Amino acid sequence: MFKRSSLISLAIICSTAAIAQQSAHVHGFASINLAIDDEELEIEFVSPAESIVGFEYEPSNAAERKAVADAIALLRDPAKLFVLPASAGCELNEVEAEQHAEDEHGEHDEHDDEHAHEDSDAGESHSEFHAHYHFECKNTAIETIDLRLFETWPRIAEVRVQALTPRGQTGGNIDASDPVIRLQ
Amino acid sequence: MNMLRLAWKSLLNRRSTALLTMLTIAVSVALLLGVEKMRLHARQSFANTVSSTDLIVGARSGSVQLLLYSVFRIGNATNNISWESYREIAALPGVRWAIPISLGDSHRGYRVVGTTRDYFEHFRYANKRRLEFSAGRAFEDTYDAVLGAEVALQLGYQSGDRLILTHGLGADGLAADHSDKPFAVSGILAPTGTPVDRSVHVSLAGIEAIHINWNKIETNPTLARSSSDLRPRAITAFMLGLDSRLLAFKLQREINQYAREPLLAIFPGVALQELWDLMRVGEQALLIISLLVAAAAMVGLLAVSLAALNERRREMAILRSVGASHLHVMGLLVSESALLTAFGIVLGLVLQNAVLLVLQPWLVDQFGLLLPLGLPGAREWATLGGLQLVGILVGLIPAWCGYRNSLADGLSTRL
């Protein structure tokens, strides 16, 4: 029991940190990481801020600040991103959503070099929205998950999915023409 | 039924052209089925090679490349990774087991894999099956080796036999032999249908022992045997099993940002999917080519039927004169075409399995592909049904021409 709960908290603490450092920042290209173990389902979502709110600089006026706040509010509702099958009986018990400025981590060297003399506040930094959802499910033999995020954020053209389930690992790119994650 | 018998007799009368047409169809069917079988089972076969491994870690390169060299033993690593990094990552919280792999040596064309006893304990293939020994047991001594089923079978080794490992991947005689340090077979693994069958497994200390002084002429095996220098310095890659899948993404990020050296952690199943996505274009090209070959075979069938029609005006006229209706004559021509297609399909099934039977050992040997014999699945039957339908439809064309001819000719044909 102790082991399980400590694992969960570990996963929750760490999972929203800097997810995108392994994948390049491409506008219109989001990613979803999905893991199922026992009765737990965890989903991470990362998208360039440009694809969500249309800009990546620090919000400079009330309208932009509102756009970011609205986006985070949307992200806190998983139904705006995906729909889990009712038969799975999943209950959301943990959700996080936030905006990350990517150049804080010193990544994207080529980008920094290019704009070495420009202030990053001048609108040259990359930023991303990260969201993280943790569900407890009655039946984790989930076969498909429908994606709604293409409707919520039409600027997202493609999503890279990585899924780890008891039946194995799978992955691939999904776009609006067939917005379904198939878990074998 | 009568119609089919008549068609059969008629075909027998023209057996050489009929046989050749049938053969053309058979070849196209065999090709079509072969491509489909390859597509379906290659995927299965590759997916079976690794099971229950959450992450594979190697030097930073491409995920597909890492997958290919670490799991399928195809190609080579760009770089090794340090033993210290391995120890540090294997000790991270959430890691249940870790299997180091050291590649780069060979024995008579088979790859030598340096690893630990954890390999036999934790490695899984197909549907979470573990490795089993058909003889002997895991290596214990530095100079023990565990053979894959095929290595033992092909080279005729048994438990206790001695073998000499080669530095590098060349055939014997081309690369440096380590004849000063013979290994003894401690065990032989049961067949798995994966690249494990084609591997020689030794301990990491064994790999170090092969390399100690290997370029010096003076040798002192006893020194190497006792020396603590046999502690490995570098390995090629390692596999990780985790306590929970929920930790996998976090651990992957941690490894990919590892400060000591550039590492790459991949999910084997996801990387395999990437590989299939890359191959999809090739698969589709193969499928289109095989469909075109089938179309060509059908055009061939039509050409042969039409060419024969002219020579058979008298036959048609006689049939009409003994009371066969137009429909009968047309039915006869359609039946012939349908029969040729049906026999072609059956012959194609036989041909495909025969070719596979001959090629199977080579495919397993070269590519680790286990393509089973047997009848095709529902999808292929549907394709074959479609082909049969085309065969019948193709028969309608000479039937129509035959009908037109018999109208024009009546009984007045002069040949």
Side-chain angles (χ1 to χ4, degrees), chain B residues 379-399:
Chain B
R379 235 184 83 124
E380 289 90 320
W381 281 121
T383 313
L384 294 180
L387 197 67
Q388 179 66 64
L389 193 69
V390 173
I392 293 169
L393 290 177
V394 159
L396 284 174
I397 297 169

Side-chain angles (χ1 to χ4, degrees), chain B residues 22-305:
Chain B
M22 206 168 78
L23 212 60
T24 319
I25 296 169
V27 168
S28 77
V29 166
L31 187 68
L32 198 65
L33 292 176
V35 167
E36 271 300 283
K37 182 158 276 193
M38 187 81 106
R39 207 177 61 83
L40 287 173
H41 290 279
R43 199 165 285 216
Q44 190 67 39
S45 173
F46 272 78
N48 275 346
T49 301
V50 62
S51 165
S52 305
T53 297
D54 291 303
L55 284 167
I56 296 175
V57 183
R60 195 165 292 167
S61 54
S63 56
V64 170
Q65 190 192 3
L66 174 55
L67 179 79
L68 287 178
Y69 72 68
S70 65
V71 176
F72 300 108
R73 322 261 148 87
I74 297 171
N76 293 304
T78 47
N79 256 315
N80 277 352
I81 55 183
S82 76
W83 179 247
E84 285 73 27
S85 303
Y86 161 71
R87 291 293 298 273
E88 218 174 286
I89 289 167
L92 287 175
V95 174
R96 181 156 45 175
W97 52 259
I99 302 173
I101 293 172
S102 192
L103 301 167
D105 294 296
S106 69
H107 174 67
R108 295 173 67 180
Y110 293 100
R111 296 273 179 123
V112 173
V113 181
T115 184
T116 62
R117 291 167 64 95
D118 287 335
Y119 189 85
F120 308 107
E121 188 64 35
H122 296 297
F123 184 79
R124 296 284 184 278
Y125 68 98
N127 197 11
K128 294 174 187 164
R129 287 177 66 180
R130 57 183 296 171
L131 296 173
E132 273 167 42
F133 284 87
S134 63
R137 55 196 153 71
F139 46 70
E140 262 162 29
D141 188 74
T142 304
Y143 293 95
D144 279 350
V146 172
L147 305 185
E150 195 195 311
V151 181
L153 188 73
Q154 292 293 322
L155 303 180
Y157 285 124
Q158 289 176 344
S159 276
D161 282 359
R162 305 204 150 258
L163 51 104
I164 290 159
L165 304 182
T166 316
H167 186 66
L169 298 176
D172 280 345
L174 294 172
D177 267 15
H178 303 290
S179 45
D180 52 318
K181 302 188 185 75
F183 280 70
V185 177
S186 74
I188 294 167
L189 294 169
T192 63
T194 75
V196 171
D197 295 354
R198 290 171 287 130
S199 302
V200 176
H201 308 86
V202 301
S203 65
L204 289 170
I207 292 274
E208 291 299 316
I210 298 175
H211 296 164
I212 282 182
N213 294 340
W214 73 271
N215 50 358
K216 292 185 183 166
I217 294 157
E218 74 274 7
T219 52
N220 189 351
T222 46
L223 176 82
R225 260 175 204 280
S226 58
S227 168
S228 61
D229 288 349
L230 294 184
R231 204 176 62 88
R233 285 172 205 84
I235 56 174
T236 311
F238 56 93
M239 303 186 231
L240 290 178
L242 307 182
D243 288 324
S244 164
R245 268 179 289 276
L246 303 188
L247 295 169
F249 292 113
K250 176 214 152 216
L251 210 66
Q252 185 194 36
R253 279 193 285 278
E254 223 165 280
I255 294 169
N256 285 341
Q257 292 163 29
Y258 192 64
R260 199 199 287 267
E261 62 181 315
L263 295 179
L264 175 70
I266 60 160
F267 299 110
V270 175
L272 195 58
Q273 196 61 48
E274 273 170 34
L275 181 63
W276 292 131
D277 289 346
L278 284 176
M279 308 231 290
R280 189 166 296 150
V281 181
E283 274 180 12
Q284 274 166 355
L286 275 178
L287 191 65
I288 289 170
I289 290 170
S290 58
L291 284 173
L292 286 177
V293 170
M298 286 294 133
V299 173
L301 172 66
L302 180 61
V304 168
S305 315

Side-chain angles (χ1 to χ4, degrees), chain A residues 60-75:
Chain A
S60 56
N61 57 42
E64 286 171 356
R65 271 189 289 276
K66 182 174 183 308
V68 170
D70 286 352
I72 287 178
L74 276 178
L75 283 169

